[in-house]
Amino acid sequence: MKKRMSLLLAIMLLAMTVLAACGGGGTAEQPSQGEQTEQTPPAEGDKDTTEPPAETGDESQGYFEATDPSKNPTAAKNRKDTLIVGMTSPKGVFNPFFWQTAYDKYVVEAIFDSFFTLNGDGTYSNRLAESVEVSEDKLKYTFKLKQGVTYSDGTPVTVKDYAFAMKVLHDASYDGQSDIFSTHVKGGQEYHDGKATDISGVKVIDDHTIEIEVTEANAMTKDSLGDISFVPEAYYGKDYKQGNLEYMKNLHTKPIGSGQYVLKSFAPGQEVVLEANPNYFLGAPKIKNVIYKTTTDETKLAMFQSGEIDMDMVTVNEDTVEELKSMGFLDINIFPTNGYGYVAMNHKNPKFQDAKVRQALLYGLNRAEIVEIIYGPYANVINIPQSNVSWAYTTEGIDTHEFDIEKAKQLLDEAGWVPGADGIREKDGQKFEIHFSATADNPVVDALIPVMNQNYQELGIKIVAETLDFNAIMDKKDKGDFEMFFAAWGLTPDPESTVYRTDGQQNDIGYSNPAYDAAMDKGLKAFDLEERKAAYAEAYQVLNQDVPDLPIYQRRDMWGINSRVNGMEITPYKDFVIDLYKVELEQ
């Protein structure tokens, strides 16, 4: 019997108030991270349903069963022990501390485990943890590791490996996206500063018991601590010297974990080959081989038809939905994404430092037209960087920034950017020209650029677009070598994030606003849900007026899944890898 996310679950997820502690992406990945993608991938969750698809008649979301499985391609039917998943090529950073994109994270999640795992509603449950005890004052957390867990190389998993992971995340040379300091582990700052050789708040009681003491608790502490991946210290720590993690880059494509699968090979730009871990503590995965094969929007539909891939996320619009349905042998899962698409601006660039300019760029962009072109009924314009599946989502006090060229012109005039003789605005002798890094073969960018060109030309702004692949744009982002680019952000179940925090670990655009930081701090430190909602509403109101980037849409996610694949669970909170070991292929 197939375990599926139905429309009923989608509606429940939209309507319910999920009190989850912290988000597991990036994106995030480490506890508070989201993930950067070309098209927003699903986040995480876990539900087991067999409801009929589309029972309310809403064709824009639901689970649509294959209408004629007999049309299954011969190539797919002949694969008895291999699942092929199409996706954008990973960068090859297969390390739970350093991954950057969702596609690397898909590999990481197959290979590594942590104390906790995500459920379909965005809450957490135990994975490697046998139990967790929290002191009454919430300053001590005692985790007990399950017995008999081993790494894929046969060595036993112990909490000493977790203690090593804590050192890595606190190390002065750590430059990944995880913000371990949000957990306030006692002695963590001293270790980071080189004033101590151990983290005083991390105490190994025995091989299966560890106690973590924090100096300040918040709503995310427990789940943040429980979401840290286990890595074998004997392997990842062999060359470790406090203050120098450079050596670990050599291990990015040679991972060893305790998870469901083992990495067999990686061909950049082509595929990642995973093999089932026969000693996985929850039972050997039912599918022996899993291959992540590189696809593009131009190739994936043909690859479905030929049987080269079994499943892939397909950009959702009326045409692609119809194409997938017409194949007959695909199940189609459409649900609200827990994420959003946006246009980033580099706040270190003087022309983006004036809020009036940023507001003008938002008012002057016809986002509704862009969304309609790309997604039709399968997306909505958004005005805050939060998904409407979140309990923190709000419309209170939020300006919708409806398309208004005249208002945009007025704001630019007020900011001192006035039209020159050639119609291009200028200020202090500088022309208003924006260099836009555009992703190659991306339908969103293909629709975005012409509309942006037309709208901004009317404003007196020149757009100069350069076309690069997604990973190249992410490299430019990491170096701060960009002016503007489009990307999507996969959110975590909890609204806490460092994306817009001053000097935040995930703040790649250089944005800073003390009012936003203060509101986020209130939300993080509160334990009452209503207090948290109020604090995050305040934070979103600040962003809505300050416009740190240009929020474009929240869309639906759509996965095409070969009907012979059973047990594939994907929700707005849960990506396909979380319980991949349960999935089976019909023989």
Side-chain angles (χ1 to χ4, degrees):
M1 200 169 195
K2 296 186 176 183
K3 293 180 273 187
R4 303 298 193 185
M5 179 198 166
S6 68
L7 178 64
L8 175 62
L9 176 57
I11 293 170
M12 289 170 61
L13 285 168
L14 283 168
M16 71 193 295
T17 307
V18 180
L19 178 54
C22 81
T27 10
E29 328 173 30
Q30 307 329 319
S32 64
Q33 294 181 351
E35 51 222 40
Q36 201 92 41
T37 61
E38 294 182 86
Q39 308 290 329
T40 313
E44 290 117 284
D46 179 14
K47 280 288 178 181
D48 180 358
T49 65
T50 51
E51 300 292 336
E55 51 266 43
T56 68
D58 181 0
E59 293 295 313
S60 75
Q61 59 189 32
Y63 198 93
F64 303 88
E65 297 280 357
T67 56
D68 190 355
S70 68
K71 292 183 177 180
N72 223 307
T74 301
K77 288 190 291 186
N78 288 344
R79 282 195 301 274
K80 304 300 184 183
D81 62 357
T82 301
L83 174 73
I84 301 182
V85 184
M87 68 178 67
T88 296
S89 178
K91 290 183 70 174
V93 185
F94 306 143
N95 184 311
F97 307 128
F98 293 100
W99 64 266
Q100 295 176 334
T101 72
Y103 315 106
D104 282 338
K105 182 169 177 279
Y106 289 151
V107 179
V108 167
E109 287 181 327
I111 295 172
F112 297 91
D113 266 340
S114 54
F115 276 129
F116 292 165
T117 189
L118 269 166
N119 302 314
D121 59 3
T123 59
Y124 283 83
S125 58
N126 290 351
R127 192 96 171 202
L128 290 179
E130 183 67 41
S131 64
V132 186
E133 294 180 7
V134 182
S135 63
E136 189 173 344
D137 61 5
K138 295 184 172 62
L139 297 180
K140 286 187 179 180
Y141 299 78
T142 304
F143 291 86
K144 285 192 175 293
L145 173 69
K146 288 179 178 176
Q147 299 282 335
V149 182
T150 63
Y151 291 108
S152 59
D153 64 356
T155 59
V157 176
T158 77
V159 296
K160 294 175 183 176
D161 301 317
Y162 179 94
F164 169 69
M166 293 291 279
K167 285 186 174 181
V168 170
L169 296 173
H170 282 94
D171 196 276
S173 66
Y174 175 70
D175 61 357
Q177 295 191 64
S178 176
D179 184 16
I180 192 64
F181 291 97
S182 66
T183 60
H184 304 286
V185 175
K186 183 178 178 181
Q189 190 64 53
E190 289 78 5
Y191 186 83
H192 176 272
D193 295 341
K195 297 177 181 178
T197 56
D198 286 298
I199 303 173
S200 60
V202 178
K203 296 181 181 179
V204 174
I205 308 302
D206 55 46
D207 282 352
H208 292 83
T209 311
I210 192 167
E211 179 186 278
I212 310 298
E213 184 176 359
V214 301
T215 58
E216 177 184 330
N218 59 53
M220 294 178 62
T221 302
K222 177 183 173 183
D223 292 323
S224 294
L225 295 173
D227 200 39
I228 293 170
S229 295
F230 275 72
V231 301
E233 182 181 12
Y235 179 68
Y236 284 95
K238 188 171 76 168
D239 297 318
Y240 176 62
K241 293 179 182 178
Q242 189 174 353
N244 185 5
L245 291 169
E246 188 66 22
Y247 75 93
M248 204 175 281
K249 293 180 180 178
N250 297 324
L251 305 178
H252 285 351
T253 57
K254 296 176 279 189
I256 294 178
S258 62
Q260 307 164 77
Y261 283 84
V262 177
L263 179 67
K264 297 302 292 181
S265 65
F266 169 52
Q270 299 179 50
E271 66 180 21
V272 177
V273 179
L274 301 166
E275 185 175 271
N277 177 1
N279 299 315
Y280 187 51
F281 79 103
L282 290 174
K286 294 179 171 62
I287 299 177
K288 182 179 179 181
N289 306 297
V290 174
I291 297 174
Y292 297 168
K293 184 175 287 292
T294 298
T295 60
T296 68
D297 281 285
E298 286 68 39
T299 64
K300 61 183 63 176
L301 294 178
M303 293 172 76
F304 267 128
Q305 194 72 65
S306 66
E308 292 177 76
I309 58 175
D310 293 307
M311 57 183 284
D312 201 342
M313 177 180 282
V314 179
T315 299
V316 61
N317 58 49
E318 290 169 300
D319 290 339
T320 54
V321 170
E322 185 57 36
E323 284 191 70
L324 292 187
K325 286 183 176 179
S326 69
M327 292 185 194
F329 60 88
L330 293 176
D331 293 341
I332 304 169
N333 191 0
I334 306 174
F335 52 88
T337 184
N338 188 36
Y340 59 94
Y342 69 102
V343 173
M345 296 175 281
N346 191 338
H347 287 246
K348 294 180 181 179
N349 187 307
K351 63 175 165 272
F352 297 125
Q353 290 173 353
D354 189 331
K356 287 187 176 180
V357 171
R358 301 194 299 269
Q359 290 168 3
L361 292 173
L362 189 56
Y363 277 117
L365 183 63
N366 194 337
R367 296 177 294 156
E369 181 181 7
I370 294 166
V371 170
E372 175 62 29
I373 291 170
I374 307 164
Y375 297 116
Y378 297 102
N380 307 95
V381 172
I382 63 162
N383 298 292
I384 60 172
Q386 182 55 267
S387 164
N388 63 12
V389 303
S390 170
W391 56 261
Y393 180 78
T394 184
T395 58
E396 181 182 350
I398 300 300
D399 189 334
T400 58
H401 293 110
E402 300 288 343
F403 180 53
D404 189 336
I405 283 286
E406 294 308 313
K407 186 163 188 173
K409 288 179 179 179
Q410 179 185 338
L411 286 165
L412 289 171
D413 289 340
E414 292 173 6
W417 289 93
V418 296
D422 58 358
I424 303 299
R425 290 180 181 265
E426 54 186 47
K427 180 180 181 182
D428 301 329
Q430 179 188 1
K431 294 286 188 183
F432 204 140
E433 183 175 289
I434 297 175
H435 291 262
F436 190 101
S437 299
T439 317
D441 301 323
N442 186 324
V444 176
V445 173
D446 291 344
L448 173 66
I449 293 295
V451 175
M452 181 178 282
N453 267 323
Q454 180 182 348
N455 293 165
Y456 287 176
Q457 183 177 3
E458 188 174 350
L459 285 179
I461 297 172
K462 182 179 180 181
I463 297 292
V464 179
E466 62 171 348
T467 301
L468 302 166
D469 69 30
F470 173 63
N471 288 332
I473 291 176
M474 291 299 99
D475 287 339
K476 287 174 71 72
K477 179 262 299 179
D478 293 341
K479 297 172 185 174
D481 179 25
F482 71 94
E483 287 195 355
M484 183 179 275
F485 65 83
F486 168 82
W489 192 254
L491 294 164
T492 56
D494 194 276
E496 170 55 26
S497 168
T498 61
V499 172
Y500 302 105
R501 282 183 178 271
T502 301
D503 298 324
Q505 198 78 14
Q506 295 172 290
N507 187 341
D508 296 314
I509 61 175
Y511 174 72
S512 177
N513 187 316
Y516 172 78
D517 295 341
M520 291 296 287
D521 285 342
K522 282 196 294 186
L524 180 59
K525 293 175 182 177
F527 287 92
D528 178 77
L529 181 61
E530 294 306 315
E531 288 181 27
R532 298 196 76 202
K533 281 183 180 180
Y536 291 120
E538 181 181 339
Y540 294 137
Q541 289 159 7
V542 171
L543 294 185
N544 177 249
Q545 291 303 310
D546 216 18
V547 191
D549 51 27
L550 309 180
I552 306 297
Y553 63 78
Q554 177 185 2
R555 66 179 176 88
R556 310 290 191 272
D557 282 330
M558 178 169 71
W559 280 88
I561 305 171
N562 191 293
S563 58
R564 63 191 242 291
V565 179
N566 292 340
M568 184 60 67
E569 304 173 44
I570 309 174
T571 81
Y573 292 106
K574 177 181 183 175
D575 64 48
F576 72 92
V577 191
I578 300 296
D579 284 335
L580 193 53
Y581 73 99
K582 297 179 180 178
V583 178
E584 298 181 79
L585 295 176
E586 287 183 3
Q587 301 301 316

